[in-house]
Amino acid sequence: MTVKQRAFPSPIADPDTEQFWSAAKNGKLMVGSCNSCGEKHYYPRGICPHCGAQDITLVEASGKGEIYSWSVLRRADPPFAIAYVTLDEGPTMMTNIIECDLDTLAIGQRVKLKFSETEEADGPPVPTFVLD
Amino acid sequence: MSINGKAYIAGVYEHPTRKATDKSLAQLHAESALGALKDAGLTKDDVDGYFCAGDAPGLGPLSLVDYMGLKLKHLDATETGGSSYVLHVGHAAEAIAMGKCSVALITLAGRPRAEGMATGTAPRNYGSSAPDVAFEFPFGPTVVNMYAMCAQRHMYEYGTTSEQLAWIKVAASHHAQYNENAMLRNVVTVDEVVNSPMIADPLHRLDCCVISDGGGAIIVTSPEVAKTLKRPLVKVIGAGEAPKHQMGGKVDLTYSGAVWSGPMAFDEAHVKPTDIKYASIYDSFTITVLMQLEDLGFCEKGKGGAFVSDGNLIAGTGKLPFNTDGGGLCNNHPANRGGLTKVIEAVRQLRGEAHPNVQVQNCDLALAHGTGGSLGTRHGSATVIMERE
Ligand SMILES: [Zn+2]
């Protein structure tokens, strides 16, 4: 069953994440990339969670990935699919799978980025995914 | 340096209420404290250390210390959600071992039912200054869909089934039938669990714990104090605690922080999982139990489904009797935090004071384990091992 879309609360940007959300407004999904250890991370932050360095660059992700896990909250109105998606760049991120048949989702399915508008008029969009 | 043998659990009390419209939150804490003190044979003035967590109203421990009129030498308000109180037992033992206090009081209380809280299915926002909130809250993470994603992945990687998860609820219900304070006393079957309404795939309504008001308290004392009291001696012999999180995007939902807290506690106690006669395992959901049993080493990783099946957790028939009070799945999950009641039932078992129909014979070694926060995002794991002397 495909159902109406839930409304997304707007994320609140802070000095640590302003750049990420500005990029989101331009349709770009960014991940943190550490210039010290070379590892990527998500969610983006001012310190590398892998090595502790503060020399971080945001890099654009391809927006392609696969479902690591998912669950449909049947008790919500409307029901919706939360998921962890593992990006082709490596990091796994929390998201929603939208515009899909909630009864046929599966781990391993390929997905691609599609930003969703959020509730506040000037709020940034959030990175959601559709089946690829 | 070890806490093995340096502290005893001298008093426990589980508040009998499950809906507390007529009691304030502070009152529930205080009544629980008085109950545990009475159980130990101590009074309020004996308490010189106090431990509480995020369910305590006011600034950290201060409002409740004021409300109860405590005079203290040691305070600890470490907050790791529902596992806090298991962790507090370890911290109390540390403080006692270091001579910082000799009678530690741990309290918990809450009234989510009286307050009409949508506990499991409403997203929780811990405040926009928490760095993860902007990247999670918009997507509707709730308690249940986060644990559901753990179950989904466990099923994918290890072939775990809904029927196997259901056995955990079935075992809890077998125990709860003897607990007159339990919220759900009907014995249920595997079929009833898997046919109950789907809440968040693959977790059904009967895979979820109860929502209850109430509270509880624990008194941890020095050996010197414990030996002056008339209660059976329950010695703390090992404790471990560890957080687990998303590891910067290297998310792995198949295991919990128990893989670290468990071995710490077992090593300190000089015992192994096969020595344990009774286990209190945090049971916010059936999947919580299954993952923790694997992570604590009661069975191989991925074999939890087979381990819990066919009544293996039921007292009298199974190899590892668990949550003989009915646990959070059937008895009580006060304040949406089940760690304290886990310690209480383990102490009852070690004292021989569990219900006769679920009392484990010669129960001289027990474990209590808690998970607080969310297995799906970030959580604190805490393990305590106790021995009857
Ligand atoms: Zn790094």
Side-chain angles (χ1 to χ4, degrees):
Chain A
M1 68 182 169
T2 306
V3 291
K4 68 175 167 146
Q5 188 55 57
R6 64 187 283 268
F8 294 95
S10 296
I12 297 167
D14 65 19
D16 213 358
T17 59
E18 231 161 21
Q19 208 189 329
F20 175 90
W21 294 114
S22 308
K25 283 182 174 173
N26 294 320
K28 292 178 177 175
L29 172 63
M30 311 301 275
V31 299
S33 181
C34 176
N35 295 318
S36 182
C37 72
E39 289 253 27
K40 293 190 173 60
H41 64 265
Y42 197 90
Y43 57 90
R45 64 198 80 177
I47 178 172
C48 172
H50 305 300
C51 79
Q54 286 182 283
D55 186 8
I56 309 290
T57 307
L58 286 184
V59 297
E60 187 178 358
S62 64
K64 303 266 190 177
E66 66 174 52
I67 296 176
Y68 171 80
S69 195
W70 62 276
S71 179
V72 173
L73 188 61
R74 305 279 169 183
R75 293 297 298 275
D77 182 23
F80 66 95
I82 200 163
Y84 273 116
V85 162
T86 303
L87 299 170
D88 288 351
E89 290 75 16
T92 298
M93 60 181 285
M94 190 185 293
T95 186
N96 283 175
I97 310 297
I98 60 165
E99 299 167 12
C100 64
D101 180 348
L102 295 177
D103 294 332
T104 59
L105 287 170
I107 287 173
Q109 275 178 328
R110 295 291 301 172
V111 292
K112 62 180 180 194
L113 178 69
K114 182 175 182 183
F115 274 100
S116 290
E117 294 306 315
T118 57
E119 285 175 324
E120 306 292 330
D122 58 346
V126 290
T128 50
F129 288 80
V130 294
L131 295 179
D132 194 8
Chain B
M1 193 79 197
S2 161
I3 56 119
N4 189 331
K6 306 280 175 59
Y8 288 71
I9 299 186
V12 290
Y13 183 73
E14 180 181 7
H15 203 292
T17 190
R18 299 293 181 268
K19 189 164 188 188
T21 37
D22 58 338
K23 306 263 185 204
S24 77
L25 181 53
Q27 206 172 5
L28 289 171
H29 275 274
E31 288 183 1
S32 299
L34 294 175
L37 284 165
K38 187 177 173 206
D39 179 56
L42 292 164
T43 69
K44 181 175 82 69
D45 293 339
D46 295 313
V47 175
D48 59 2
Y50 178 59
F51 296 70
C52 65
D55 56 287
L59 180 63
L62 297 180
S63 287
L64 284 179
V65 170
D66 182 345
Y67 182 89
M68 293 190 277
L70 299 175
K71 193 161 174 280
L72 304 169
K73 298 195 297 190
H74 194 80
L75 284 167
D76 183 340
T78 306
E79 162 69 314
T80 59
S83 62
S84 304
Y85 324 90
V86 181
L87 177 148
H88 289 163
V89 171
H91 285 198
E94 289 168 21
I96 290 165
M98 295 302 291
K100 300 294 182 187
C101 61
S102 58
V103 176
L105 165 68
I106 305 165
T107 68
L108 154 84
R111 42 206 301 286
R113 288 183 82 199
E115 290 162 10
M117 181 178 177
T119 292
T121 53
R124 289 192 197 176
N125 185 343
Y126 290 97
S128 63
S129 61
D132 41 86
V133 164
F135 299 93
E136 297 177 7
F137 186 70
F139 304 113
T142 66
V143 179
V144 62
N145 65 7
M146 288 290 102
Y147 282 77
M149 283 206 284
C150 296
Q152 197 80 261
R153 187 71 198 185
H154 204 280
M155 290 175 165
Y156 175 82
E157 292 210 16
Y158 304 115
T160 306
T161 66
S162 289
E163 287 73 17
Q164 290 173 330
L165 288 176
W167 270 110
I168 295 164
K169 169 74 174 186
V170 169
S173 76
H174 270 267
H175 300 147
Q177 66 178 313
Y178 304 112
N179 181 351
E180 61 182 25
N181 292 322
M183 278 186 74
L184 305 176
R185 295 186 67 190
N186 285 342
V187 174
V188 299
T189 64
V190 168
D191 277 352
E192 284 172 309
V193 178
V194 300
N195 290 320
S196 65
M198 190 66 85
I199 304 295
D201 311 60
L203 297 179
H204 305 83
R205 179 183 286 158
L206 296 188
D207 286 299
C208 307
C209 65
V210 300
I211 296 168
S212 55
D213 296 350
I218 302 168
I219 306 290
V220 188
T221 74
S222 65
E224 294 72 29
V225 171
K227 283 165 187 171
T228 65
L229 303 173
K230 296 187 178 66
R231 303 298 274 135
L233 287 169
V234 172
K235 183 162 65 176
V236 181
I237 61 170
E241 64 190 61
K244 179 174 174 271
H245 46 73
Q246 294 171 332
M247 300 172 287
K250 296 178 193 286
V251 173
D252 187 337
L253 299 183
T254 61
Y255 70 96
S256 73
V259 296
W260 302 302
S261 70
M264 281 180 227
F266 281 114
D267 287 352
E268 189 164 47
H270 308 301
V271 298
K272 50 190 191 304
T274 47
D275 298 326
I276 299 293
K277 303 273 180 63
Y278 165 82
S280 278
I281 305 290
Y282 203 96
D283 55 348
S284 46
F285 301 94
T286 51
I287 184 64
T288 322
V289 176
L290 186 124
M291 284 174 59
Q292 293 166 134
L293 286 171
E294 293 176 346
D295 296 340
L296 291 166
F298 287 107
C299 64
E300 214 179 298
K301 191 71 210 172
K303 299 284 171 59
F307 183 80
V308 302
S309 291
D310 304 321
N312 199 37
L313 301 178
I314 300 175
T317 42
K319 285 208 187 81
L320 184 70
F322 101 122
N323 300 7
T324 42
D325 60 335
L329 288 169
C330 295
N331 169 33
N332 192 11
H333 194 233
N336 304 320
R337 292 161 172 262
L340 200 140
T341 42
K342 295 291 161 291
V343 176
I344 292 176
E345 183 65 5
V347 170
R348 289 192 193 110
Q349 281 286 353
L350 290 166
R351 287 172 168 180
E353 293 176 356
H355 190 282
N357 291 336
V358 296
Q359 176 66 49
V360 175
Q361 296 310 305
N362 189 31
C363 187
D364 54 2
L365 196 62
L367 172 147
H369 178 81
T371 294
S374 175
L375 281 184
T377 53
R378 52 199 67 78
H379 61 271
S381 292
T383 313
V384 167
I385 298 173
M386 295 154 280
E387 183 179 41
R388 189 193 61 217
E389 200 167 273

